């Protein structure tokens, strides 16, 4: 990352310690990773385990054979039923990958 981004992050960490008196004693211990983990907004990593399991069950194959479109992660993560997963399969957002062939 650039020096400017690091400086801005450190300034933000200093601002957090100024507004939260119970963090005053931390000083240099409050580094960038600590700031990111405790004070940054939470990252929403979408777990699509349910959708993959349902799709594997519907397509009658293993979970490793299912491909979920990474560009449509928001839409796929909203599907919480077999009906919705079937719709996504029909739309092509969830695909059953082809069987890998051994050439020898």
């Amino acid at each position: 990352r650039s020096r400017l981004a690091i400086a801005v992050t450190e300034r933000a960490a200093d601002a957090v310690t100024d507004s939260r008196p119970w963090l005053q004693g931390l000083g240099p211990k409050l580094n960038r990773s600590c700031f990111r983990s405790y004070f940054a907004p939470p990252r929403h990593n979408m777990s699509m385990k349910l959708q993959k399991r349902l799709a594997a069950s519907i397509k009658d194959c293993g979970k490793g054979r299912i491909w979920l479109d990474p560009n449509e992660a928001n839409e796929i993560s909203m599907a919480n039923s077999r009906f919705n997963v079937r719709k996504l399969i029909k739309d092509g957002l969830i695909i059953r990958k082809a069987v890998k062939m051994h050439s020898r």
Side-chain angles (χ1 to χ4, degrees):
R1 293 183 350 155
S2 69
R3 289 182 192 171
L4 177 64
I6 292 170
V8 168
T9 307
E10 287 173 349
R11 267 194 228 120
D14 292 340
V16 168
T17 56
D18 292 343
S19 64
R20 294 182 171 93
W22 59 89
L23 295 175
Q24 287 295 329
L26 287 178
K29 292 179 189 172
L30 187 65
N31 58 15
R32 287 188 306 277
S33 63
C34 178
F35 173 76
R36 256 187 249 119
S37 61
Y38 289 112
F39 304 112
R43 295 180 184 148
H44 297 289
N45 292 337
M46 286 162 265
S47 174
M48 294 186 276
K49 279 183 170 183
L50 171 72
Q51 290 79 1
K52 192 167 249 210
R53 182 180 62 79
L54 290 175
S57 174
I58 291 167
K59 293 295 248 175
D60 197 27
C61 64
K63 290 180 274 192
R65 293 266 308 274
I66 298 296
W67 178 81
L68 305 173
D69 189 353
N71 299 324
E72 301 294 334
N74 287 331
E75 191 171 341
I76 292 172
S77 66
M78 297 295 286
N80 58 0
S81 66
R82 287 177 181 272
F83 177 77
N84 291 338
V85 171
R86 280 191 193 101
K87 251 191 336 190
L88 294 175
I89 290 171
K90 192 177 100 180
D91 294 341
L93 302 180
I94 299 176
I95 297 172
R96 178 181 177 174
K97 290 192 259 184
V99 178
K100 293 178 184 171
M101 300 277 296
H102 190 345
S103 62
R104 190 165 173 169

